[in-house]
Amino acid sequence: MPLFYDQHTSRLLDKDGFKAVDFSNNPLRESEPVQARPFIAVDYDQPGRKVRQVRKLKIQLGLGCNKSCAYCLQAAQIHEAAASSTRDASEFLANIDNWIDAPEGMEKVEFWGGEPLLYWKKIEILAPTLIKKFPNARFSIITNGEILTREIVDQLKVWNFSMAISHDGPGQAVRGSDPFEDPHQFAMIQYAQRTFHPRFSFNAVLTPASHDVNAIIDWFRDYFPDCNVGFEGVVHSYAGDPTSIFSIEQLGQFSDTLSMQLVDGSAMRSPMLVDKLKRSVSSMVNERSSESLFQKCGMDMPEYLAVDLKGNVMTCQNVGANGNHKIGHVSDFDKIALNTSRHWSKRPECLSCPVLQLCQGACMYQGGDNWTHSCNAEFFYNLAFFRAALFVLTGRWMVGFGGDIVRPTLKKDRNVEVR
């Protein structure tokens, strides 16, 4: 018997239009409907704005890195990053009150590179003042783990940071060298894991070379039996790098395997995967409207801001301000205009997609064949969670789906990113 699903209302119905499952006793059922906050349909000719009541602040320290990961989304942007100094860090702090209101509302401050620890002197200037200025904010940093020192770990702990190390476990070869194989670097990673646990995780990217989540979890648990293993998601294609492009056959097998691992519980050893499956189930249980769906990264939200130490505002923290991704400057805050990106509601593929509620449009600034490859990867990755959520709610296994679904196609003669 078929089930009918509307991705824009997240309703799961039978053939007669009635609810397929009674959700009233589901623990994820909200007692009262949450007032949906409507998305803002940003587009190149309909730019989004930013507000001074910033809730998430992403500080780009620079795009320099001590590694050269094959699939790095920042690699093509390194030459576009604005160079900055420790003096800029001090001026950044001196001016911040001119463009941020309601500091008590700040929820999170993230320090980003490149490799952020290459900019440690800047962090030493920024962190103490920002911690005092934003007393309710959580502070975090993600590093590749290759230049950790005991002094850095101890200081970040004093500042009450959380830490993640980007590492692909058994698929680390596509990133280059492996800090686990260097005795000194590994000793520092051990120290960091002990110091920050449980506010510490290893974050892996799922790539064509390594996408079995159980194999990745097992690899890390062999070294750290109680560690948190997270996933930064499935790899996107930003420069046509072949190591970041799955075949459709690979994606189908990956999706089938992951959905089984979610249902049998073996993948639930990762808190990030647990959270994503819960959100998948909650979307259906609470019939979440697509009108509330901002982009996956959240950078189309007015209160999310990516800024460098020169005060340049960018599309996100992974791009440079000397190119097309500069969307304004904090000194002229009201003129900041997110005109580099396209909301999912402006893409026919997203409008008809059954996993819209889970994918939320992938990367908002990608275009051309790079976006097509990334869209395919996100589709099959999220399809695994969709299938598992259906099984949790109905006890039935999805064997196929149909409908008026538009899928993107490759346009090899126009392999360019939008803007």
Side-chain angles (χ1 to χ4, degrees):
M1 180 184 297
L3 294 175
F4 295 85
Y5 175 74
D6 182 343
Q7 71 272 25
H8 293 290
T9 62
S10 208
R11 288 176 179 163
L12 192 61
L13 307 173
D14 63 20
K15 63 183 179 61
D16 297 316
F18 296 103
K19 286 187 179 181
V21 187
D22 181 6
F23 299 132
S24 58
N25 294 321
N26 191 293
L28 295 178
R29 179 74 173 181
E30 295 161 355
S31 56
E32 295 183 7
V34 176
Q35 184 66 36
R37 176 188 176 187
F39 63 69
I40 300 168
V42 301
D43 207 344
Y44 311 117
D45 58 356
Q46 187 177 324
R49 302 296 176 182
K50 298 295 177 179
V51 296
R52 297 173 187 268
Q53 296 75 32
V54 180
R55 283 174 40 213
K56 181 179 283 189
L57 181 63
K58 299 189 176 191
I59 301 175
Q60 186 203 87
L61 303 166
L63 292 181
C65 189
N66 57 316
K67 293 183 72 65
S68 54
C69 303
Y71 57 74
C72 180
L73 71 165
Q74 296 178 339
Q77 289 286 322
I78 290 176
H79 64 288
E80 304 285 8
S84 62
S85 64
T86 52
R87 179 183 223 172
D88 292 315
S90 297
E91 292 181 0
F92 179 89
L93 294 174
N95 294 324
I96 197 168
D97 286 339
N98 295 329
W99 52 272
I100 286 189
D101 294 339
E104 67 281 355
M106 183 71 73
E107 297 174 2
K108 192 169 186 183
V109 178
E110 302 172 354
F111 288 92
W112 286 88
E115 167 50 50
L117 295 185
L118 288 175
Y119 304 98
W120 180 247
K121 292 298 183 183
K122 297 176 184 177
I123 295 173
E124 286 184 305
I125 294 170
L126 294 165
T129 298
L130 294 178
I131 289 168
K132 292 179 181 178
K133 187 172 295 292
F134 305 125
N136 299 320
R138 294 170 289 126
F139 285 74
S140 69
I141 195 165
I142 302 176
T143 172
N144 60 41
E146 294 200 356
I147 53 177
L148 281 173
T149 66
R150 184 175 289 264
E151 292 73 23
I152 287 174
V153 171
D154 289 345
Q155 186 58 70
L156 289 171
K157 180 64 175 178
V158 169
W159 289 331
N160 200 31
F161 271 59
S162 63
M163 176 184 286
I165 291 181
S166 288
H167 191 292
D168 287 352
Q172 180 68 8
V174 298
R175 288 183 180 262
S177 58
D178 185 351
F180 278 50
E181 296 178 356
D182 182 290
H184 174 71
Q185 292 172 355
F186 183 65
M188 288 300 99
I189 291 173
Q190 288 178 304
Y191 181 64
Q193 198 271 341
R194 290 195 306 269
T195 301
F196 284 96
H197 185 77
R199 297 181 65 194
F200 178 96
S201 66
F202 294 104
N203 291 356
V205 176
L206 299 167
T207 68
S210 177
H211 50 268
D212 184 323
V213 298
N214 279 348
I216 294 170
I217 294 170
D218 289 341
W219 192 94
F220 284 110
R221 292 282 175 89
D222 282 344
Y223 291 97
F224 301 94
D226 64 341
C227 70
N228 292 325
V229 180
F231 293 91
E232 296 175 8
V234 65
V235 69
H236 283 195
S237 172
Y238 281 88
D241 172 64
T243 66
S244 65
I245 298 174
F246 288 85
S247 69
I248 296 299
E249 292 73 22
Q250 279 181 311
L251 287 170
Q253 293 170 359
F254 165 44
S255 184
D256 289 345
T257 299
L258 177 56
S259 59
M260 290 297 299
Q261 292 169 333
L262 293 167
V263 168
D264 68 23
S266 57
M268 306 304 273
R269 294 174 293 163
S270 168
M272 288 185 182
L273 297 183
V274 171
D275 180 65
K276 185 170 176 65
L277 182 57
K278 281 184 177 179
R279 287 186 282 113
S280 304
V281 172
S282 177
S283 171
M284 296 181 192
V285 167
N286 293 294
E287 298 180 350
R288 182 172 64 180
S289 169
S290 66
E291 292 181 2
S292 67
L293 294 181
F294 285 78
Q295 290 291 132
K296 181 181 73 169
C297 65
M299 292 308 294
D300 56 330
M301 299 178 73
E303 64 271 28
Y304 281 24
L305 196 72
V307 61
D308 67 17
L309 296 183
K310 294 283 192 180
N312 299 307
V313 181
M314 294 87 66
T315 303
C316 71
Q317 74 279 4
N318 293 313
V319 295
N322 286 340
N324 294 328
H325 282 287
K326 179 177 177 178
I327 62 173
H329 194 277
V330 295
S331 63
D332 199 359
F333 204 94
D334 294 337
K335 290 188 178 180
I336 296 171
L338 178 60
N339 59 359
T340 59
S341 302
R342 172 162 286 166
H343 186 259
W344 64 259
S345 64
K346 301 293 186 176
R347 301 185 193 258
E349 299 92 340
C350 295
L351 284 167
S352 68
C353 183
V355 298
L356 169 64
Q357 294 271 347
L358 311 181
C359 174
Q360 295 180 238
C363 179
M364 65 184 185
Y365 74 76
Q366 275 189 306
D369 284 357
N370 285 328
W371 188 81
T372 298
H373 288 304
S374 299
C375 176
N376 284 335
E378 286 283 353
F379 176 79
F380 282 95
Y381 174 58
N382 285 287
L383 189 62
F385 290 90
F386 183 81
R387 181 185 286 125
L390 281 176
F391 183 82
V392 168
L393 289 171
T394 69
R396 297 161 65 181
W397 191 250
M398 188 186 80
V399 295
F401 57 87
D404 296 326
I405 300 169
V406 178
R407 297 295 303 142
T409 56
L410 294 174
K411 302 176 180 64
K412 294 182 180 179
D413 58 326
R414 292 195 293 113
N415 188 10
V416 295
E417 290 189 6
V418 181
R419 295 289 173 106

